[in-house]
Structure formats: structure tokens, C-alpha cells
Amino acid sequence: MSDHLATVAGTDVDTRHWIDGRRRASATAFTDLSPIDGRPLASIARGAAPEADAAVQAAANAFPDWAATPPAERARLLHAIADGVHKRLDELAQVETADNGALLRSHRVGVMPRVAHNFRFFADRLLSLAHPDFATRGHTNQVAWRPAGPCALITPWNAPLMLATWKVAPALAAGNTVVLKPAEWSPLTASLLADIAHEAGLPPGVLNVVQGYGTEAGSALAAHPGIRRISFTGSVPTGRAVAAAAARNLTPVSLELGGKSPLLVFADADLDLAVDLAVEQYDNAGQVCLAATRLLVEEPVAAEFTRRLVARAEGLRQGDPRTESTELGPLVHPRQLEKVDGFVRRAVEQGARVLTGGSPHPQLGPLHYRPTLLTQVAQDSEIVQEEVFGPVLTLQTFRTEQEALTLANGTRFGLAATLATGDRDRAARVSARLVAGTVWVNCFFVRDLRAPFGGARSSGIGREGGTWSFDFYCDLHTTVTAPTGWSEHG
């Protein structure tokens, strides 16, 4: 077998970059570990400035023809990619579970079907994209979306393929070419996506995949003068670095960064529903940017809510993410476990009380962390203010609606918020005052691609989804035509 192929969960994955319709090796490599058992999965080509430059050049060369491709043909190819994803859904699910440790059943039932849906949605949205003409003193205004050019898409490890295609699909639909830089902790399904796109007939150079570290390949792409759009999902510090690099070329950026979202539970809420919502925040071992990790509970129901939540958390089935009954898998990487445990240990040193969890669970594997609930935490403490990105929740109580809002809005983040209440007027009133890109009322993680997605404050810049994606990935173009000046023979 080729040195450039790794067999992962029974599927052969090419570990080289995909540039200009061909595989390209690098002089150096990095090791990709499986969170399930800590063993090496593959040796991955380690790209840097030369590979980034080659990919941007390929994207630039392919751009004129792709931008000129009729929308119906672009849409057809995106649907063909979706068909390819659907055909290989189980392979993609198994490879991604091996690579990032998320639950296999979730990948099969929810995540990979959503990957295909991303392509289908933006393909169809492209064909309905239109702005009505309007008149100004008898002149006609026409608005059009024109593709911007090569796009650098830098994606995270917690939902690798779904979050990558959330960017790739609208960028391609808009007529742009793409250089995708997947996270180094979970690069494998991006390589498979390149194969699927090629098999679907996507022309060379339209989609390129460069693997490597963010400080090398990612930095080179963010600073590249040939890039016309940058979309990044990840941490706040890296987002700042991307924005600084983009600023030198005045490259527009879309940044979806961290979150420290609240879950507000009022005394009039359905308590069973509220506890269900709280337990959902442990999904994917807490490695979800939207997770409502700060539980804010009205005092009259706090004791009962806490009792029920502790019992539910302690009953969660941790283990191998490939097992159907597992509810909580491992963290993605040894560095992530060290980070999560460090947050908890420092919180305890500062006076936090552990109601459940609070430590790794090494009997299950090297990267399992017990679902954790902390109380007696100060609003200005690190554990309340900073994103942990693990199965760690904090619990604070409040007496009044205003106090709940003050606590909820009392961080530098504003990605999302969740609200549990039985009062419709309160739901409307509180939702309007929460600083958050998305507010869920008596539900969680209901996502529709027609809606804008993004955060406020340090949670990011810009919105994507629906027409907002096309607004970002395009240059909006207005033509104003006079009613006079025409030749009678024109």
C-alpha cells in the first residue's frame, strides 16, 4: 500500500494535500491521533507557505471559469457532491468518529446527513437568489451578487466536516474557488471530501485542501494577498491573529469564535424540560461552541433542579463513541483534556464546589472526562468568564429577572443563549435583552440554514447562513440605468 494512504475504520484516506486536482506531498508530516485510544491514525502531510501559495494560485487560475459557470451547472455539481456524501455516509461517519471521538450514531443520524444538506441547500438557494429591481427618479436599480474570488476557509475540530461544508458549500455556490484548511486534530474527512468533489466532476483548482498547523498553513492563507475572503471558526486568540493578518490586505473576514452561553431557568419553567436542556449541554463531551455552560437558575427551583441534574449527569453512559449506547465520548486530544482539567482544578482552588464529576475518567480511556457540575462560583471567576470547551457546567442562582439578565450578559461573549420559562411575555422580554446571536426558548440547537448565524462581542464578526452567506462570499453589485439616452436602433 502507498505510504500516502492510511486505513482508518476500514476506509483508505489519502494523507496528502489536494491542490489543483492532484495530490501533493510535503517534506514533513505530523501525526494524527485517535481520541478513542490515543493511538496514531495517520501521518499527515504538513503544509506551510509553499503549499498555501500553490493552492491559492490554483484557486486563482480556476476562478474565472468557475465564476462564469452558469448557476444551474454550479448547483448541479453541488448536488452531485451531496450525492457522493450520501453514498459514503457510513464511511465518513466512521472515519470522523475515529478522528475526533464524537459519537458514531450522531455522525450517522445527524451530522453526515447535514453535510449533504449543506450542499443541497446552498445549491438551491443559489438558483432562487434575486433582489427585486427598484426605481429612483425613473432610473432602474439592479442588484447582483458577484463572486469575490479565492476564499480561505479555516475550520475547527469539533465537527470537522459539517462545519467545513457549512463554509465550502456557499462559497462554491457563489462562484468562488476555495482553499480549505482543516484542523490538524481532525483532518481526515476533509481529504475524503476532496475525493468526493473530484468524483462529482468539480473542476481542478475549484476546491483545494491544505493540511497543517494553524501557525503555519493557516497563517500563510490568512496573510495571502491572493485571498479575497477568509472564514474562520475557532478560538478568540486565533481569530484575532486571523483578523490581524487579513487587515494587511483588507481581506473581509467572517469569524465565528468562542462562546460562554447561559441557560436561564425561571421558576415557572417546565422543570423536566429545563433539566433535559441542561443535560444536552454535555453533548460531544461539551466540545460545542454553542453550549450553554452557565446555568442560571431562579432560587425557588434551584435545589430541585440541581438534584435532578446531578442524578442525570451521573447516569450518563460514558465510553467508546462507536458503541450505540454511549452518550458521552472522549475529549479530542491530550492537550484538550489537560486544558479542561486545568480549568476545573483552578476553579476548585478558588472556592468552587464540585457537585459531580470534576476529574478525568482514565478507566474508560486516556481522554475521558467525567461530566462535571460546579457551584459556588463567582461571576468574575475564570470558570464563569472563559470558554472551557469540555463537559463542565457552572450553576449560579438569581432572584429577579434583571439579576438573571445581568448574569447572562456578564461575559465578553455573545454567541447564543437558552431560556426555559412557561411565560410567553417573559420569553419575549428576556430574549430581546439577551446579548446573543441566537436565542433558544424552551429548546436547544434547532438550526435552520435559512437563519443568520454568528455572535456578538468576542464571539465573532459577521453572519453566515441563507442569503447572508452570499452577502459575505460575494461582492454586491448595483447597476443604475437611466430611462433616456438610448438609440432608437439600440
Side-chain angles (χ1 to χ4, degrees):
M1 179 174 292
S2 167
D3 292 340
H4 302 302
L5 285 179
T7 302
V8 179
T11 295
D12 289 339
V13 182
D14 200 307
T15 59
R16 295 171 293 178
H17 315 287
W18 179 257
I19 298 174
D20 203 17
R22 299 184 299 274
R23 290 291 174 178
R24 172 168 169 161
S26 288
T28 59
F30 64 94
T31 301
D32 181 29
L33 302 174
S34 175
I36 298 173
D37 53 18
R39 295 179 182 175
L41 284 174
S43 180
I44 307 293
R46 179 175 168 178
E51 291 83 2
D53 189 63
V56 174
Q57 188 60 56
N61 292 341
F63 173 67
D65 285 347
W66 181 246
T69 300
E73 175 62 10
R74 294 204 301 266
R76 184 192 69 78
L77 286 166
L78 292 187
H79 273 289
I81 295 172
D83 291 342
V85 169
H86 183 75
K87 189 182 303 180
R88 301 185 66 177
L89 189 147
D90 195 62
E91 291 177 42
L92 292 166
Q94 293 200 51
V95 169
E96 190 134 295
T97 290
D99 204 14
N100 87 328
L103 300 184
L104 178 58
R105 60 181 167 84
S106 295
H107 280 146
R108 282 173 168 157
V109 174
V111 176
M112 295 309 160
R114 176 62 179 269
V115 168
H117 177 62
N118 286 343
F119 285 104
R120 297 194 194 284
F121 173 87
F122 286 107
D124 294 342
R125 192 76 172 192
L126 167 65
L127 298 181
S128 64
L129 192 64
H131 191 288
D133 293 352
F134 55 97
T136 305
R137 300 190 304 276
H139 295 63
T140 301
N141 293 262
Q142 296 173 301
V143 176
W145 287 262
R146 301 286 176 81
C151 300
L153 311 179
I154 304 172
T155 55
W157 46 259
N158 57 323
L161 192 56
M162 193 273 284
L163 292 177
T165 57
W166 157 253
K167 302 174 188 295
V168 169
L172 295 181
N176 298 310
T177 51
V178 163
V179 182
L180 171 63
K181 208 297 281 184
E184 56 265 33
W185 287 354
S186 55
L188 298 179
T189 49
S191 180
L192 294 177
L193 177 64
D195 293 337
I196 291 169
H198 176 65
E199 291 163 7
L202 200 68
V206 174
L207 171 64
N208 306 275
V209 179
V210 175
Q211 300 154 156
Y213 296 127
T215 53
E216 297 172 351
S219 294
L221 288 171
H224 202 290
I227 289 295
R228 295 292 176 261
R229 293 290 187 275
I230 301 170
S231 181
F232 169 78
T233 298
S235 70
V236 172
T238 305
R240 288 196 185 104
V242 168
R248 291 194 287 272
N249 299 310
L250 293 179
T251 307
V253 297
S254 175
L255 304 176
E256 197 267 277
L257 307 178
K260 194 69 181 176
S261 302
L263 165 55
L264 291 78
V265 178
F266 286 91
D268 57 20
D270 178 330
L271 211 56
D272 288 334
L273 170 63
V275 172
D276 286 344
L277 293 173
V279 172
E280 278 192 71
Q281 310 313 313
Y282 291 120
D283 184 49
N284 201 20
Q287 299 169 128
V288 178
C289 59
L290 295 163
T293 56
R294 295 185 296 128
L295 310 180
L296 309 176
V297 186
E298 195 168 2
E299 284 189 358
V301 296
E304 179 62 15
F305 174 88
T306 303
R307 183 188 68 78
R308 296 191 195 183
L309 176 57
V310 168
R312 290 282 301 279
E314 292 178 346
L316 288 172
R317 294 183 292 274
Q318 287 186 267
D320 190 324
R322 297 166 296 189
T323 301
E324 188 71 19
S325 61
T326 297
E327 296 173 291
L328 203 68
L331 295 173
V332 70
H333 193 274
R335 278 167 46 195
Q336 190 65 15
L337 183 129
E338 182 181 351
K339 175 188 170 186
V340 170
D341 193 44
F343 270 112
V344 173
R345 286 188 285 103
R346 289 190 297 274
V348 171
E349 290 168 2
Q350 294 167 12
R353 179 186 170 202
V354 179
L355 296 180
T356 188
S359 63
H361 203 324
Q363 298 90 335
L364 296 177
L367 297 179
H368 288 269
Y369 203 87
R370 300 175 195 274
T372 297
L373 180 62
L374 304 175
T375 190
Q376 296 179 12
V377 292
Q379 178 67 12
D380 62 354
S381 64
E382 178 192 55
I383 196 68
V384 169
Q385 293 294 322
E386 299 298 329
E387 186 177 46
V388 177
F389 226 61
V392 179
L393 310 182
T394 60
L395 191 149
Q396 299 166 272
T397 61
F398 63 86
R399 292 192 180 98
T400 67
E401 189 175 293
Q402 180 55 52
E403 184 183 4
L405 281 162
T406 299
L407 292 172
N409 293 334
T411 76
R412 63 192 172 112
F413 296 103
L415 187 56
T418 302
L419 170 62
T421 178
D423 185 325
R424 291 181 184 273
D425 290 338
R426 169 177 280 144
R429 189 169 60 243
V430 172
S431 295
R433 296 180 62 192
L434 287 167
V435 179
T438 301
V439 178
W440 285 288
V441 180
N442 292 331
C443 61
F444 177 65
F445 221 169
V446 178
R447 288 279 294 116
D448 192 308
L449 287 177
R450 292 172 294 183
F453 180 75
R457 297 177 176 169
S458 291
S459 287
I461 296 172
R463 294 292 185 272
E464 294 184 53
T467 303
W468 291 273
S469 284
F470 289 95
D471 289 347
F472 174 69
Y473 288 111
C474 291
D475 291 321
L476 288 169
H477 182 91
T478 303
T479 302
V480 183
T481 305
T484 59
W486 301 102
S487 167
E488 291 185 0
H489 306 291

